[in-house]
Amino acid sequence: MAAITAADVNKLRTMTGAGMMDCKKALTEADGDFEAARDILRKQGQKIADKRADNATSEGLVLVNVSADGTTGKLVALACETESVAKVADFRTLVQQILDTAVKTNVGTKEDLLAATEADGRTVQEHITELTGKIGEKLDLIYTTLTAEKVASYIHSDNKKGVLVGLKNVGDADIAAVGRDVAMQIVAMKPVAVDKDGVDAGTVEREIEIGKEQARAEGKPEAMLEKIAQGKLNKFYKENTLLNQEFVKDNSLTIAQLLDKMSKGMTVSDFKRVAIGA
């Protein structure tokens, strides 16, 4: 059995960020093998993650990156259970490292990002698992990316909500200003799609059925139910699709009219909204 010194324990603690006693136990179990001890700590972290799998993650941090040419945006959000953990330096460093890895590898999915290797040789998943073992809380990763003619980004003041907005036909518009206005609209009003063509068929069908049932409950004739439901569907589009929503800063304009006013023909091609705990 290898002798485990205080220096060994401190070295493993520096490597992993785990507690002193956890590091000593891992080194003892691994008979002084540092790589084996790291694996033990990772497994312990995974056990914690499994144990807390049903816990709610309503706190965390959102970070975004937009490429130098303004055409690609990446958004990373790491959710945790408590506000205090969201403020820990190791947690915030991890989120930044995950975003850096996403930019460097240019992966398109969360699964690919979790499997991607960071600068220190760990995968993103391994890093998350190790931090889970250290802090004892469930961590959930959210990742999305967007490519467009121009991409604008926005992070809300609580650092728990973020948006990427794809704009096209931008002309000479101030991308930062218009992008911020539209992104803030998306955070506040939670549109389900860019316009009515982007609303999925299931949602449309459900809204029509709800409209019919409401009209029927009000005693409207059966022959009028379809027309009434279509009217309610149009109201749904106005309230829940971005381009048709009233601009929160000036309700005399829809978002479509605002964009066209800023630069003729400018519109939104796509958007991504992420909210931790929502």
Side-chain angles (χ1 to χ4, degrees):
M1 178 69 69
I4 308 301
T5 67
D8 292 334
V9 173
N10 189 57
K11 178 181 177 181
L12 184 60
R13 186 185 185 192
T14 301
M15 291 168 62
T16 66
M20 293 288 286
M21 290 306 298
D22 289 332
C23 288
K24 184 175 181 179
K25 289 178 182 178
L27 280 167
T28 300
E29 184 177 339
D31 196 22
D33 185 321
F34 280 89
E35 287 306 312
R38 285 187 66 174
D39 287 343
I40 289 168
L41 289 171
R42 287 173 181 170
K43 290 174 183 176
Q44 289 175 348
Q46 187 61 55
K47 287 178 182 177
I48 292 171
D50 291 342
K51 185 177 179 180
R52 305 181 74 89
D54 294 330
N55 290 21
T57 50
S58 58
E59 300 295 334
L61 178 66
V62 174
L63 294 178
V64 298
N65 174 276
V66 176
S67 60
D69 63 3
T71 63
T72 300
K74 297 187 185 300
L75 184 153
V76 164
L78 192 63
C80 57
E81 297 176 35
T82 62
E83 184 179 2
S84 58
V85 165
K87 295 179 178 179
V88 170
D90 282 355
F91 179 88
R92 302 176 80 85
T93 297
L94 171 57
V95 184
Q96 183 62 60
Q97 288 179 342
I98 293 173
L99 179 60
D100 292 344
T101 301
V103 172
K104 181 180 178 180
T105 59
N106 196 32
V107 293
T109 68
K110 171 184 171 179
E111 292 70 26
D112 287 340
L113 180 55
L114 286 170
T117 303
E118 296 180 337
D120 63 4
R122 287 178 292 184
T123 66
V124 169
Q125 180 63 76
E126 287 171 342
H127 197 169
I128 291 174
T129 298
E130 286 183 12
L131 188 59
T132 298
K134 178 182 178 182
I135 66 176
E137 282 197 9
K138 177 183 177 183
L139 302 178
D140 278 336
L141 176 66
I142 305 168
Y143 172 62
T144 190
T145 183
L146 179 64
T147 298
E149 180 183 324
K150 288 295 177 182
V151 175
S153 66
Y154 171 74
I155 297 177
H156 196 54
S157 57
D158 62 3
N159 294 314
K160 297 197 296 182
K161 304 178 189 71
V163 171
L164 297 173
V165 183
L167 300 167
K168 64 180 181 180
N169 304 326
V170 298
D172 58 358
D174 183 340
I175 302 302
V178 70
R180 179 178 175 82
D181 277 344
V182 175
M184 290 178 70
Q185 174 88 16
I186 294 167
V187 166
M189 301 307 293
K190 304 177 184 177
V192 300
V194 173
D195 57 25
K196 66 179 185 178
D197 292 335
V199 180
D200 68 88
T203 299
V204 172
E205 186 176 319
R206 184 173 67 253
E207 290 300 319
I208 290 175
E209 286 305 310
I210 290 172
K212 287 181 179 179
E213 286 302 318
Q214 289 174 340
R216 189 175 287 116
E218 293 167 2
K220 298 294 192 289
E222 287 292 321
M224 293 182 62
L225 296 186
E226 184 67 33
K227 183 177 181 180
I228 293 171
Q230 286 295 329
K232 290 181 179 292
L233 179 62
N234 288 333
K235 182 180 179 183
F236 172 85
Y237 288 145
K238 181 178 179 181
E239 294 175 348
N240 294 280
T241 60
L242 178 61
L243 294 177
N244 296 296
Q245 286 180 338
E246 293 178 351
F247 181 34
V248 291
K249 289 186 176 181
D250 180 359
N251 59 21
S252 69
L253 295 172
T254 65
I255 293 298
Q257 290 167 340
L258 169 72
L259 293 169
D260 193 63
K261 181 179 179 182
M262 298 287 283
S263 181
K264 190 67 176 176
M266 181 165 60
T267 190
V268 172
S269 57
D270 196 4
F271 68 85
K272 305 290 185 181
R273 179 185 187 275
V274 168
I276 294 174

